[in-house]
């Protein structure tokens, strides 16, 4: 199968692993952050961590859209569904994210709220058309990958004069979050050690590689955009090692079969038409980040659920014993959390990192905890 089997070739994987072992400097340590939750999942699923030489470690980043959605935004959606009587639609993983007082959208549905699971923005349009006498609100989340479909949804609704559809917008932006990973932490918080980034794949298809160039230049950290297959990731890590060894901090594109420097111009245009940057936005684990998220712009303000229903988001702390926030900042690993794999599991998640398959805790629970047992036994 084109672009699948070629990037899972075990002989090539062994050759890249040998090159990594040969080129890693034994006198130094390397710490690379895979920003994207899809990369976290792929690293665990394909056993790539086991192929990396001693002295090279991967740091999990905040690129899981479900994981970084703060409790207050989920509370706002639950209140809207339970108190305003709307049809609230969103994607599957969001339904199970823990909110305040043990609630979640799934539990709100069990208590009578009209919460619907959708697979695409097109499903939301169909839902609004089929229920013209009901207000339908789409809880939209995600990075730049899922933002263009939401923009097209809003533009289509405006074209049809659809008065019963609005969007609770939680779309966030990748470059500001990457920059935040290198910013000095607040007093009392540890900072993650990061020597370079494995750049996200799907996000970069939309925005291109250009936005990372200023980041690499100003922050002096290399970025290598990678696909999701095993050889993609291993080659990207090798490229990062070579940049660090050479003292370079550049943007390189391993995923050139899908990512260009300029990105998808049509997707960028519709995003710019419909959305504008928020002054600031709260991220789970990262706090308030300036210019790191999008809101619906003035031309389409009639479709902004926050304005239509007078919603106000309040900041809510995470579960006191959950280390998800520190894991999202890259300063802890899933096994550092005392709830991991015992009280907190995919069937009973206490933190968002265990909900989505892209979350670091869910990925490690599915593929990594057996390795932990073997290490302890040894």
């Amino acid at each position: 199968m084109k672009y699948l089997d070629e990037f899972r070739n075990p002989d090539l994987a062994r050759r890249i692993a040998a090159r990594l072992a040969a080129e890693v400097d034994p006198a130094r340590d390397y710490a690379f952050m895979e920003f994207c939750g899809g990369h976290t999942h792929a690293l665990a699923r394909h056993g790539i961590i086991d192929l990396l030489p001693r002295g090279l470690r991967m740091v999990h980043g905040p690129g899981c859209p479900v994981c970084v959605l703060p409790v207050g935004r989920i509370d706002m959606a639950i209140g809207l569904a339970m108190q305003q009587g709307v049809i609230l639609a969103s994607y599957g993983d969001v339904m199970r994210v823990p909110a305040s007082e043990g609630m979640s959208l799934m539990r709100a549905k069990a208590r009578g709220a009209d919460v619907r699971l959708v697979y695409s923005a097109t499903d939301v349009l169909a839902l609004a058309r089929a229920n013209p006498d009901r207000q339908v609100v789409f809880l939209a989340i995600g990075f730049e990958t899922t933002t263009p479909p939401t923009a097209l949804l809003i533009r289509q609704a405006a074209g049809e004069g659809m008065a019963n559809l609005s969007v609770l917008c939680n779309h966030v932006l990748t470059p500001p979050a990457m920059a935040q990973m290198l910013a000095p932490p607040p007093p009392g918080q540890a900072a993650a050690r990061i020597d370079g980034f494995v750049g996200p794949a799907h996000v970069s298809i939309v925005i291109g590689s250009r936005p990372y160039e200023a980041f690499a230049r100003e922050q002096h950290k290399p970025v290598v955009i990678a696909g999701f297959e095993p050889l993609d990731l291993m080659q990207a890590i090798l490229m990062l090692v070579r940049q660090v060894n050479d003292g370079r901090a550049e943007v390189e594109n391993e995923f050139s079969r899908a990512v260009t420097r300029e990105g998808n111009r049509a997707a960028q245009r519709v995003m710019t038409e419909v959305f504008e940057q928020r002054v600031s936005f709260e991220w789970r684990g990262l706090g308030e980040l300036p210019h790191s998220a999008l809101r619906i712009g003035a031309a389409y303000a009639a479709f902004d659920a926050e304005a239509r229903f007078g919603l106000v988001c309040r900041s809510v702390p995470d579960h006191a014993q959950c280390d998800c926030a520190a894991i999202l900042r890259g300063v802890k690993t899933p096994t550092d959390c005392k709830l991991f794999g015992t009280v907190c599991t995919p069937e009973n998640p206490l933190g968002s990192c265990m909900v989505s398959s892209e979350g670091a805790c869910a990925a490690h629970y599915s593929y990594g905890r057996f390795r932990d047992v073997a290490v302890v036994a040894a």
Side-chain angles (χ1 to χ4, degrees):
M1 181 184 296
K2 189 172 179 61
Y3 292 154
L4 183 59
D5 290 347
E6 295 92 329
F7 290 89
R8 296 185 178 182
N9 185 306
D11 292 333
L12 286 177
R14 282 188 285 269
R15 286 167 58 185
I16 298 175
R19 290 309 316 158
L20 274 168
E23 297 191 32
V24 161
D25 184 347
R28 71 185 308 164
D29 292 324
Y30 303 78
F32 300 130
M33 174 174 278
E34 83 279 359
F35 181 89
C36 174
H39 284 152
T40 299
H41 181 90
L43 286 167
R45 178 188 176 194
H46 296 297
I48 295 171
I49 300 298
D50 297 326
L51 297 176
L52 301 180
R54 186 183 301 274
L56 194 162
R57 65 185 178 90
M58 301 304 296
V59 180
H60 307 315
C64 164
V66 172
C67 302
V68 299
L69 191 63
V71 174
R73 304 294 292 188
I74 299 290
D75 283 351
M76 190 162 58
I78 290 172
L80 189 58
M82 296 193 71
Q83 298 165 18
Q84 300 284 352
V86 306
I87 298 174
L88 187 83
S90 196
Y91 301 127
D93 283 349
V94 185
M95 301 290 183
R96 300 173 57 244
V97 177
S100 297
E101 300 177 357
M103 285 293 288
S104 66
L105 285 170
M106 190 69 76
R107 290 179 178 176
K109 180 178 178 68
R111 295 188 184 187
D114 196 346
V115 178
R116 312 280 185 98
L117 185 153
V118 294
Y119 296 96
S120 69
T122 304
D123 291 346
V124 182
L125 276 172
L127 192 60
R129 290 173 184 141
N131 296 273
D133 298 328
R134 301 279 306 278
Q135 285 292 322
V136 175
V137 178
F138 178 41
L139 175 59
I141 72 162
F143 289 84
E144 293 91 340
T145 311
T146 54
T147 305
T150 303
L152 290 172
L153 161 70
I154 293 170
R155 193 168 71 176
Q156 181 68 28
E160 295 183 24
M162 199 174 285
N164 68 322
L165 176 63
S166 57
V167 172
L168 183 53
C169 182
N170 298 280
H171 286 298
V172 291
L173 302 173
T174 300
M178 289 179 65
Q180 181 64 22
M181 292 296 96
L182 301 175
Q189 282 190 8
R193 155 86 184 284
I194 304 170
D195 296 316
F197 290 87
V198 176
H202 291 153
V203 164
S204 300
I205 292 173
V206 175
I207 68 173
S209 63
R210 182 198 288 268
Y212 308 114
E213 293 173 2
F215 169 84
R217 182 173 60 252
E218 295 166 7
Q219 302 288 342
H220 307 292
K221 300 294 181 181
V223 178
V224 178
I225 299 165
F228 291 107
E229 296 304 322
L231 298 190
D232 284 320
L233 284 163
M234 293 183 69
Q235 180 64 26
I237 294 168
L238 178 59
M239 293 164 73
L240 284 169
V241 167
R242 288 172 173 171
Q243 284 209 50
V244 170
N245 288 348
D246 295 342
R248 293 182 290 120
E250 303 170 2
V251 177
E252 294 184 312
N253 183 12
E254 184 279 334
F255 199 34
S256 58
R257 64 187 186 274
V259 173
T260 65
R261 184 168 183 262
E262 303 302 328
N264 186 324
R265 292 292 186 85
Q268 293 167 22
R269 282 194 295 270
V270 72
M271 289 165 60
T272 302
E273 175 189 342
V274 174
F275 296 111
E276 62 186 22
Q277 283 193 10
R278 293 180 185 265
V279 175
S280 67
F281 189 80
E282 181 186 359
W283 294 53
R284 187 190 298 259
L286 307 185
E288 288 279 341
L289 300 188
H291 309 294
S292 64
L294 299 174
R295 60 179 297 162
I296 299 171
Y300 294 93
F303 297 92
D304 187 344
E306 293 182 60
R308 177 176 292 187
F309 296 98
L311 303 178
V312 177
C313 182
R314 62 186 182 92
S315 183
V316 180
D318 289 334
H319 190 288
Q321 294 179 297
C322 175
D323 281 330
C324 185
I327 293 168
L328 289 169
R329 294 196 303 272
V331 299
K332 287 190 176 184
T333 65
T335 52
D336 291 329
C337 181
K338 60 186 177 182
L339 304 181
F340 174 80
T342 54
V343 177
C344 183
T345 66
E347 292 74 29
N348 181 46
L350 293 184
S352 60
C353 294
M354 188 63 90
V355 174
S356 170
S357 63
E358 294 189 357
C361 293
H364 193 73
Y365 185 91
S366 297
Y367 304 108
R369 73 187 196 279
F370 305 107
R371 187 192 322 115
D372 297 337
V373 172
V375 169
V376 171

